[in-house]
Amino acid sequence: MSDNSSDEELAPDWIPYRQRSDWADVTPIEQDDGENPVVVISYSEKFKDVYDYFRAILASSEKSTRALELTRDALRLNAANYTVWQYRRDILKALGCNLQQELQYIDDVISDNPKNYQVWHHRRVIVEWLNDPSDELRLTESVLSMDSKNYHAWQHRQWAIKTFNLYDNELEYVDRLISEDVRNNSAWNQRFFVLKHFGFTPEVIQREIQYAVNRIRLIKNNESVWNFLGGILHDGGASISQHEEVLAFCEELYNNNVRSPYLIAFLIDLCQEKCLREENAESREALGRRVAELCDGMIREHDVIRKKYWQYVVDSFQLKLNRLKANNDGERNDGTS
Amino acid sequence: MSNVNAICRRKHAKFFMRFLDLLPSRLASHDSTRVTIAFFAVCGLDILNSLDTIQPATVETIIDWLYRYQVVSKEGEVECSGFQGSSTINTSVPNENITKYKWGHLAMTYTAIATLVTLGDDLKRLNRKAIIKGVAAVQRDDGSFSASVEGNEYDMRFVYCAAAICAMLNDWGTVNKEKMAEYILKSIRYDYGVSQHFEMEAHGGTTFCAIAALQLSGQLDKLSPETIEGMKRWLIFRQIDGFQGRPNKPVDTCYSFWIGASLKILNAFHLTDYEENRSYILSTQNTTVGGFSKWPDSMTDPFHTYFGLCGLSFVNEPGILEIMPSLNISMRAYKKLKELQGHWAPQEPEECSNCSIIDIE
Ligand SMILES: [Zn+2]
């Protein structure tokens, strides 16, 4: 639970609304939480003061410059109050305020509260009103430079890219993030998002397989890139075992004694798929044994924390294989083929 | 203070009791979501099997307090029924201008009802019809739900809240379940985790929201066998010792619930390593003043305390009650809810023709 609100953030020379002559015409309204409330927050004097006046302007429906300023104080005390944000927007609209200035303000709030849902929502609405996304890539880039996995920033960025068709330079940006941190799963996801938009042509799939393979060579034990590789093959429409070069690459790593669980898991998937498609009984047996061996390695040594899972994988696979054999035998006995 | 291999039940109960009572001013940033804090405290006490720590009179106080946050829209006005999360804009003299901003919020509605059920309330003061209308009113064309009628985001979190509310009240009204499922299916990623919204990165919390919503709406069968196996893989791979929420992110206590509950729903939780999970959760327990945090030796909070206990419940920790994974309340509370639903059904048969009470094997 974060407690980044607060009084300290209001300027030291801050004067309570109750003492301001330019607010003398307004009667503050107290919060009513009824008799015996629970989960009571012991509001500071400032909090109570600001929100008493917020309730007052809400009640009188005052939409003015001073009311706009008041929402700013209220949000400084609690940036998660969506009613205040909503009322702020209603004021902005009523006064026809300069929305570029509002973007400036939001920049500041976001840099103080980069993980606050409400301020990102506010940002989106203002950008929609302006119909101008020209600052959104810069903003999200700057937030992501502090925390490259900030989910809010990625969501806003994807929204801006989708809504305003800003895909053009995104692959370059993603590429840069992946070079900075090859384990950045958010960046890999964004890569997939951009690629899918442009379409998975055979050329793109080949290029991306190479891209992934090169990064696996750098760091083998990186789940993000293995997942990406699986996704590329799958979404490219081909089953993973149809890409012989990928299988060869995995075998090469394995033969070079790489024992990353992600590599072995990938191999298990490839071998299972190949096995279940294999027509030749002997090759099928061999692939089946391979799957069992690989799972056994996971259970005993390479992925012990998931040993029950790998036992489950090998058991389910055996069941499938037996059913397949029984079907084939049945067909043979029926004389159909 | 984290190397103790036993759970300090009484300290955690005290911890929750403090949050039910009075919060320091530094927590003012939680002013809009006080109902969720009540949910964590009450449901946390429940799964600690310590609900009786709350005096009977206080139970009534909490119930009355929650009902004061119920918003029921008038006929012909904007439909915004549900629960508010706090009383920040409530005034002793009703004011029309303020009323325009009083909206139910799906997360608050869900946690308020779950808290009421857990406290043993009979839900008679709940305007069920209005609440379900409020849920249907915030469903969007893409099948997702906004948190409230205006002013809030829409994403997988509120899909879950909507499904949980409808399942608890055993009434889907005009909610479009099929559209909801479409939205969920479109948010399954290439790695088989589910994102918060369409093509975002897969995330443990939203994967729970998606799978639970499908179960609560009786639509788990919309997942192909291949997808289910892929999801199990993605979820199982989140275990490091405790669980992480995304690949290559640090482990965090709350994911013992999000990932654990998802696996429970898919009948695959038994494939995880209980001992590693348990040790991690216990390493984030504050043995001096109670509570759990997301990481060892960090600041505790009700959210991680509640979810840490849920995580321990999944590995059958003695003295912790069993959890109903998709509704995220104790099995005991869930049984009470089923009884209540049984009473509603005969009086309003038209309401329940298409939906059955969820059964968990
Ligand atoms: Zn957490």
Tab-separated table of all heavy atoms in Angstrom, chain B residues 196-236:
chain	number	residue	atom	x	y	z
B	196	GLN	N	-4.312	-7.412	-19.736
B	196	GLN	CA	-5.338	-6.550	-19.165
B	196	GLN	C	-6.292	-6.043	-20.244
B	196	GLN	O	-7.450	-5.748	-19.970
B	196	GLN	CB	-4.675	-5.356	-18.471
B	196	GLN	CG	-5.639	-4.438	-17.766
B	196	GLN	CD	-4.967	-3.628	-16.684
B	196	GLN	OE1	-4.715	-4.106	-15.601
B	196	GLN	NE2	-4.636	-2.395	-16.997
B	197	HIS	N	-5.797	-5.962	-21.450
B	197	HIS	CA	-6.642	-5.457	-22.542
B	197	HIS	C	-6.008	-5.858	-23.873
B	197	HIS	O	-4.901	-5.409	-24.199
B	197	HIS	CB	-6.767	-3.933	-22.432
B	197	HIS	CG	-7.570	-3.301	-23.522
B	197	HIS	ND1	-8.940	-3.433	-23.595
B	197	HIS	CD2	-7.201	-2.557	-24.585
B	197	HIS	CE1	-9.372	-2.773	-24.659
B	197	HIS	NE2	-8.343	-2.241	-25.281
B	198	PHE	N	-6.691	-6.704	-24.600
B	198	PHE	CA	-6.279	-7.128	-25.933
B	198	PHE	C	-4.789	-7.453	-26.054
B	198	PHE	O	-4.341	-8.428	-25.464
B	198	PHE	CB	-6.715	-6.097	-26.982
B	198	PHE	CG	-8.213	-6.047	-27.184
B	198	PHE	CD1	-8.845	-4.862	-27.551
B	198	PHE	CD2	-9.004	-7.172	-27.005
B	198	PHE	CE1	-10.236	-4.817	-27.749
B	198	PHE	CE2	-10.386	-7.139	-27.198
B	198	PHE	CZ	-10.988	-5.960	-27.570
B	199	GLU	N	-4.021	-6.618	-26.744
B	199	GLU	CA	-2.653	-7.035	-27.071
B	199	GLU	C	-1.576	-6.569	-26.094
B	199	GLU	O	-0.390	-6.569	-26.406
B	199	GLU	CB	-2.304	-6.570	-28.498
B	199	GLU	CG	-3.141	-7.300	-29.526
B	199	GLU	CD	-2.892	-6.796	-30.937
B	199	GLU	OE1	-1.986	-7.317	-31.597
B	199	GLU	OE2	-3.611	-5.866	-31.354
B	200	MET	N	-2.020	-6.205	-24.892
B	200	MET	CA	-1.051	-5.872	-23.850
B	200	MET	C	-0.294	-7.134	-23.438
B	200	MET	O	-0.643	-8.231	-23.830
B	200	MET	CB	-1.787	-5.318	-22.632
B	200	MET	CG	-2.451	-3.986	-22.839
B	200	MET	SD	-1.232	-2.702	-22.876
B	200	MET	CE	-0.485	-2.929	-21.268
B	201	GLU	N	0.700	-6.937	-22.589
B	201	GLU	CA	1.501	-8.061	-22.107
B	201	GLU	C	0.673	-8.941	-21.163
B	201	GLU	O	-0.104	-8.433	-20.346
B	201	GLU	CB	2.705	-7.470	-21.342
B	201	GLU	CG	3.675	-8.477	-20.812
B	201	GLU	CD	4.774	-7.792	-19.966
B	201	GLU	OE1	4.689	-6.565	-19.730
B	201	GLU	OE2	5.701	-8.511	-19.545
B	202	ALA	N	0.863	-10.255	-21.278
B	202	ALA	CA	0.176	-11.181	-20.366
B	202	ALA	C	0.594	-10.893	-18.932
B	202	ALA	O	1.742	-10.549	-18.665
B	202	ALA	CB	0.529	-12.617	-20.731
B	203	HIS	N	-0.362	-11.053	-18.020
B	203	HIS	CA	-0.127	-10.635	-16.637
B	203	HIS	C	-0.874	-11.595	-15.702
B	203	HIS	O	-2.011	-11.983	-15.988
B	203	HIS	CB	-0.648	-9.206	-16.483
B	203	HIS	CG	-0.344	-8.576	-15.170
B	203	HIS	ND1	-1.033	-8.910	-14.019
B	203	HIS	CD2	0.576	-7.647	-14.811
B	203	HIS	CE1	-0.541	-8.212	-13.010
B	203	HIS	NE2	0.430	-7.440	-13.464
B	204	GLY	N	-0.240	-11.949	-14.588
B	204	GLY	CA	-0.838	-12.921	-13.671
B	204	GLY	C	-2.185	-12.491	-13.115
B	204	GLY	O	-3.113	-13.299	-13.008
B	205	GLY	N	-2.308	-11.214	-12.761
B	205	GLY	CA	-3.551	-10.733	-12.169
B	205	GLY	C	-4.695	-10.795	-13.168
B	205	GLY	O	-5.799	-11.253	-12.852
B	206	THR	N	-4.427	-10.361	-14.388
B	206	THR	CA	-5.505	-10.328	-15.377
B	206	THR	C	-5.777	-11.721	-15.948
B	206	THR	O	-6.890	-11.984	-16.412
B	206	THR	CB	-5.175	-9.337	-16.500
B	206	THR	OG1	-3.841	-9.571	-16.958
B	206	THR	CG2	-5.251	-7.912	-15.974
B	207	THR	N	-4.779	-12.602	-15.873
B	207	THR	CA	-5.033	-13.989	-16.275
B	207	THR	C	-6.039	-14.604	-15.306
B	207	THR	O	-6.978	-15.302	-15.708
B	207	THR	CB	-3.721	-14.789	-16.307
B	207	THR	OG1	-2.836	-14.165	-17.240
B	207	THR	CG2	-3.960	-16.233	-16.731
B	208	PHE	N	-5.862	-14.302	-14.015
B	208	PHE	CA	-6.864	-14.754	-13.044
B	208	PHE	C	-8.238	-14.177	-13.392
B	208	PHE	O	-9.242	-14.900	-13.436
B	208	PHE	CB	-6.489	-14.343	-11.614
B	208	PHE	CG	-7.656	-14.458	-10.662
B	208	PHE	CD1	-8.029	-15.697	-10.156
B	208	PHE	CD2	-8.407	-13.347	-10.319
B	208	PHE	CE1	-9.134	-15.812	-9.318
B	208	PHE	CE2	-9.519	-13.464	-9.480
B	208	PHE	CZ	-9.880	-14.695	-8.977
B	209	CYS	N	-8.295	-12.866	-13.618
B	209	CYS	CA	-9.578	-12.212	-13.912
B	209	CYS	C	-10.281	-12.909	-15.070
B	209	CYS	O	-11.486	-13.167	-15.030
B	209	CYS	CB	-9.359	-10.738	-14.264
B	209	CYS	SG	-8.840	-9.746	-12.846
B	210	ALA	N	-9.520	-13.229	-16.107
B	210	ALA	CA	-10.087	-13.829	-17.314
B	210	ALA	C	-10.603	-15.241	-17.042
B	210	ALA	O	-11.752	-15.572	-17.367
B	210	ALA	CB	-9.021	-13.856	-18.408
B	211	ILE	N	-9.773	-16.065	-16.432
B	211	ILE	CA	-10.153	-17.467	-16.216
B	211	ILE	C	-11.319	-17.547	-15.225
B	211	ILE	O	-12.269	-18.306	-15.419
B	211	ILE	CB	-8.935	-18.282	-15.716
B	211	ILE	CG1	-7.869	-18.342	-16.826
B	211	ILE	CG2	-9.342	-19.687	-15.306
B	211	ILE	CD1	-6.571	-19.025	-16.411
B	212	ALA	N	-11.250	-16.736	-14.174
B	212	ALA	CA	-12.324	-16.759	-13.176
B	212	ALA	C	-13.638	-16.281	-13.796
B	212	ALA	O	-14.700	-16.862	-13.548
B	212	ALA	CB	-11.948	-15.887	-11.978
B	213	ALA	N	-13.576	-15.235	-14.621
B	213	ALA	CA	-14.805	-14.724	-15.248
B	213	ALA	C	-15.425	-15.784	-16.154
B	213	ALA	O	-16.649	-15.940	-16.209
B	213	ALA	CB	-14.509	-13.450	-16.035
B	214	LEU	N	-14.579	-16.516	-16.859
B	214	LEU	CA	-15.113	-17.581	-17.714
B	214	LEU	C	-15.777	-18.649	-16.861
B	214	LEU	O	-16.861	-19.143	-17.172
B	214	LEU	CB	-13.990	-18.202	-18.563
B	214	LEU	CG	-13.499	-17.345	-19.731
B	214	LEU	CD1	-12.348	-18.037	-20.453
B	214	LEU	CD2	-14.626	-17.063	-20.728
B	215	GLN	N	-15.139	-19.014	-15.756
B	215	GLN	CA	-15.750	-20.038	-14.917
B	215	GLN	C	-17.066	-19.550	-14.309
B	215	GLN	O	-18.069	-20.253	-14.346
B	215	GLN	CB	-14.804	-20.474	-13.795
B	215	GLN	CG	-15.372	-21.716	-13.105
B	215	GLN	CD	-14.835	-21.942	-11.723
B	215	GLN	OE1	-14.649	-21.010	-10.958
B	215	GLN	NE2	-14.579	-23.192	-11.408
B	216	LEU	N	-17.049	-18.339	-13.788
B	216	LEU	CA	-18.240	-17.819	-13.124
B	216	LEU	C	-19.418	-17.678	-14.079
B	216	LEU	O	-20.569	-17.732	-13.675
B	216	LEU	CB	-17.928	-16.464	-12.467
B	216	LEU	CG	-16.951	-16.516	-11.286
B	216	LEU	CD1	-16.491	-15.112	-10.901
B	216	LEU	CD2	-17.580	-17.213	-10.086
B	217	SER	N	-19.111	-17.503	-15.362
B	217	SER	CA	-20.192	-17.363	-16.338
B	217	SER	C	-20.454	-18.680	-17.066
B	217	SER	O	-21.173	-18.701	-18.062
B	217	SER	CB	-19.845	-16.257	-17.339
B	217	SER	OG	-18.654	-16.562	-18.028
B	218	GLY	N	-19.848	-19.756	-16.574
B	218	GLY	CA	-20.072	-21.074	-17.184
B	218	GLY	C	-19.538	-21.187	-18.594
B	218	GLY	O	-20.125	-21.861	-19.442
B	219	GLN	N	-18.424	-20.500	-18.885
B	219	GLN	CA	-17.925	-20.500	-20.261
B	219	GLN	C	-16.492	-20.995	-20.393
B	219	GLN	O	-15.821	-20.704	-21.386
B	219	GLN	CB	-18.030	-19.082	-20.852
B	219	GLN	CG	-19.458	-18.533	-20.858
B	219	GLN	CD	-19.550	-17.194	-21.549
B	219	GLN	OE1	-19.867	-17.094	-22.713
B	219	GLN	NE2	-19.240	-16.135	-20.820
B	220	LEU	N	-16.030	-21.741	-19.391
B	220	LEU	CA	-14.652	-22.241	-19.478
B	220	LEU	C	-14.467	-23.125	-20.709
B	220	LEU	O	-13.360	-23.232	-21.247
B	220	LEU	CB	-14.301	-23.050	-18.220
B	220	LEU	CG	-13.536	-22.359	-17.099
B	220	LEU	CD1	-13.189	-23.364	-16.019
B	220	LEU	CD2	-12.254	-21.677	-17.610
B	221	ASP	N	-15.559	-23.740	-21.150
B	221	ASP	CA	-15.446	-24.642	-22.309
B	221	ASP	C	-15.166	-23.892	-23.608
B	221	ASP	O	-14.931	-24.507	-24.643
B	221	ASP	CB	-16.708	-25.506	-22.442
B	221	ASP	CG	-17.974	-24.658	-22.585
B	221	ASP	OD1	-17.861	-23.408	-22.561
B	221	ASP	OD2	-19.065	-25.231	-22.730
B	222	LYS	N	-15.169	-22.561	-23.544
B	222	LYS	CA	-14.796	-21.807	-24.746
B	222	LYS	C	-13.288	-21.814	-24.973
B	222	LYS	O	-12.808	-21.338	-26.007
B	222	LYS	CB	-15.315	-20.370	-24.665
B	222	LYS	CG	-16.834	-20.354	-24.736
B	222	LYS	CD	-17.409	-19.017	-25.104
B	222	LYS	CE	-18.908	-19.194	-25.401
B	222	LYS	NZ	-19.641	-17.942	-25.327
B	223	LEU	N	-12.539	-22.294	-23.984
B	223	LEU	CA	-11.089	-22.422	-24.157
B	223	LEU	C	-10.814	-23.790	-24.778
B	223	LEU	O	-11.285	-24.809	-24.264
B	223	LEU	CB	-10.381	-22.314	-22.805
B	223	LEU	CG	-10.553	-21.009	-22.027
B	223	LEU	CD1	-9.915	-21.130	-20.645
B	223	LEU	CD2	-9.927	-19.844	-22.798
B	224	SER	N	-10.053	-23.801	-25.862
B	224	SER	CA	-9.732	-25.079	-26.495
B	224	SER	C	-8.784	-25.861	-25.587
B	224	SER	O	-8.084	-25.269	-24.765
B	224	SER	CB	-9.062	-24.823	-27.846
B	224	SER	OG	-7.773	-24.269	-27.621
B	225	PRO	N	-8.732	-27.186	-25.738
B	225	PRO	CA	-7.794	-27.978	-24.932
B	225	PRO	C	-6.357	-27.474	-25.088
B	225	PRO	O	-5.608	-27.404	-24.113
B	225	PRO	CB	-7.934	-29.392	-25.504
B	225	PRO	CG	-9.299	-29.426	-26.111
B	225	PRO	CD	-9.579	-28.035	-26.599
B	226	GLU	N	-6.006	-27.089	-26.303
B	226	GLU	CA	-4.653	-26.585	-26.543
B	226	GLU	C	-4.402	-25.310	-25.736
B	226	GLU	O	-3.346	-25.126	-25.130
B	226	GLU	CB	-4.486	-26.300	-28.040
B	226	GLU	CG	-3.083	-25.882	-28.432
B	226	GLU	CD	-3.058	-25.091	-29.747
B	226	GLU	OE1	-4.089	-25.021	-30.442
B	226	GLU	OE2	-1.980	-24.524	-30.046
B	227	THR	N	-5.398	-24.423	-25.727
B	227	THR	CA	-5.263	-23.176	-24.971
B	227	THR	C	-5.150	-23.467	-23.481
B	227	THR	O	-4.330	-22.856	-22.779
B	227	THR	CB	-6.470	-22.254	-25.241
B	227	THR	OG1	-6.544	-22.024	-26.643
B	227	THR	CG2	-6.331	-20.932	-24.523
B	228	ILE	N	-5.958	-24.388	-22.993
B	228	ILE	CA	-5.916	-24.700	-21.562
B	228	ILE	C	-4.533	-25.236	-21.179
B	228	ILE	O	-3.956	-24.816	-20.170
B	228	ILE	CB	-7.036	-25.691	-21.189
B	228	ILE	CG1	-8.378	-24.941	-21.259
B	228	ILE	CG2	-6.809	-26.274	-19.799
B	228	ILE	CD1	-9.572	-25.729	-20.820
B	229	GLU	N	-3.989	-26.118	-22.012
B	229	GLU	CA	-2.650	-26.644	-21.708
B	229	GLU	C	-1.610	-25.526	-21.769
B	229	GLU	O	-0.691	-25.470	-20.959
B	229	GLU	CB	-2.278	-27.784	-22.663
B	229	GLU	CG	-3.092	-29.059	-22.455
B	229	GLU	CD	-3.226	-29.473	-20.990
B	229	GLU	OE1	-2.196	-29.599	-20.298
B	229	GLU	OE2	-4.371	-29.649	-20.522
B	230	GLY	N	-1.770	-24.618	-22.745
B	230	GLY	CA	-0.853	-23.485	-22.850
B	230	GLY	C	-0.928	-22.589	-21.624
B	230	GLY	O	0.084	-22.103	-21.111
B	231	MET	N	-2.138	-22.370	-21.160
B	231	MET	CA	-2.319	-21.550	-19.959
B	231	MET	C	-1.686	-22.205	-18.740
B	231	MET	O	-1.032	-21.544	-17.936
B	231	MET	CB	-3.807	-21.324	-19.689
B	231	MET	CG	-4.438	-20.306	-20.613
B	231	MET	SD	-6.210	-20.185	-20.275
B	231	MET	CE	-6.517	-18.556	-20.972
B	232	LYS	N	-1.889	-23.509	-18.623
B	232	LYS	CA	-1.270	-24.211	-17.486
B	232	LYS	C	0.246	-24.026	-17.533
B	232	LYS	O	0.880	-23.744	-16.519
B	232	LYS	CB	-1.594	-25.707	-17.551
B	232	LYS	CG	-3.009	-26.069	-17.159
B	232	LYS	CD	-3.175	-27.583	-17.215
B	232	LYS	CE	-4.652	-27.960	-17.117
B	232	LYS	NZ	-4.865	-29.393	-17.431
B	233	ARG	N	0.813	-24.161	-18.713
B	233	ARG	CA	2.260	-24.009	-18.854
B	233	ARG	C	2.685	-22.604	-18.413
B	233	ARG	O	3.597	-22.420	-17.627
B	233	ARG	CB	2.649	-24.260	-20.319
B	233	ARG	CG	4.064	-23.834	-20.708
B	233	ARG	CD	5.143	-24.819	-20.298
B	233	ARG	NE	4.975	-26.130	-20.883
B	233	ARG	CZ	5.496	-26.533	-22.050
B	233	ARG	NH1	6.226	-25.719	-22.772
B	233	ARG	NH2	5.286	-27.761	-22.494
B	234	TRP	N	1.998	-21.604	-18.948
B	234	TRP	CA	2.374	-20.219	-18.621
B	234	TRP	C	2.270	-19.987	-17.115
B	234	TRP	O	3.147	-19.386	-16.498
B	234	TRP	CB	1.460	-19.241	-19.372
B	234	TRP	CG	1.894	-17.804	-19.241
B	234	TRP	CD1	2.820	-17.152	-20.014
B	234	TRP	CD2	1.428	-16.847	-18.268
B	234	TRP	NE1	2.952	-15.846	-19.576
B	234	TRP	CE2	2.127	-15.633	-18.522
B	234	TRP	CE3	0.505	-16.890	-17.231
B	234	TRP	CZ2	1.915	-14.473	-17.758
B	234	TRP	CZ3	0.300	-15.740	-16.469
B	234	TRP	CH2	1.006	-14.552	-16.739
B	235	LEU	N	1.202	-20.487	-16.521
B	235	LEU	CA	0.980	-20.283	-15.086
B	235	LEU	C	2.028	-21.027	-14.252
B	235	LEU	O	2.608	-20.475	-13.321
B	235	LEU	CB	-0.429	-20.750	-14.703
B	235	LEU	CG	-1.591	-19.884	-15.232
B	235	LEU	CD1	-2.910	-20.660	-15.222
B	235	LEU	CD2	-1.724	-18.597	-14.420
B	236	ILE	N	2.258	-22.291	-14.609
B	236	ILE	CA	3.220	-23.114	-13.853
B	236	ILE	C	4.621	-22.496	-13.947
B	236	ILE	O	5.392	-22.530	-12.985
B	236	ILE	CB	3.239	-24.551	-14.429
B	236	ILE	CG1	1.886	-25.225	-14.183
B	236	ILE	CG2	4.412	-25.345	-13.881
B	236	ILE	CD1	1.787	-26.129	-13.007
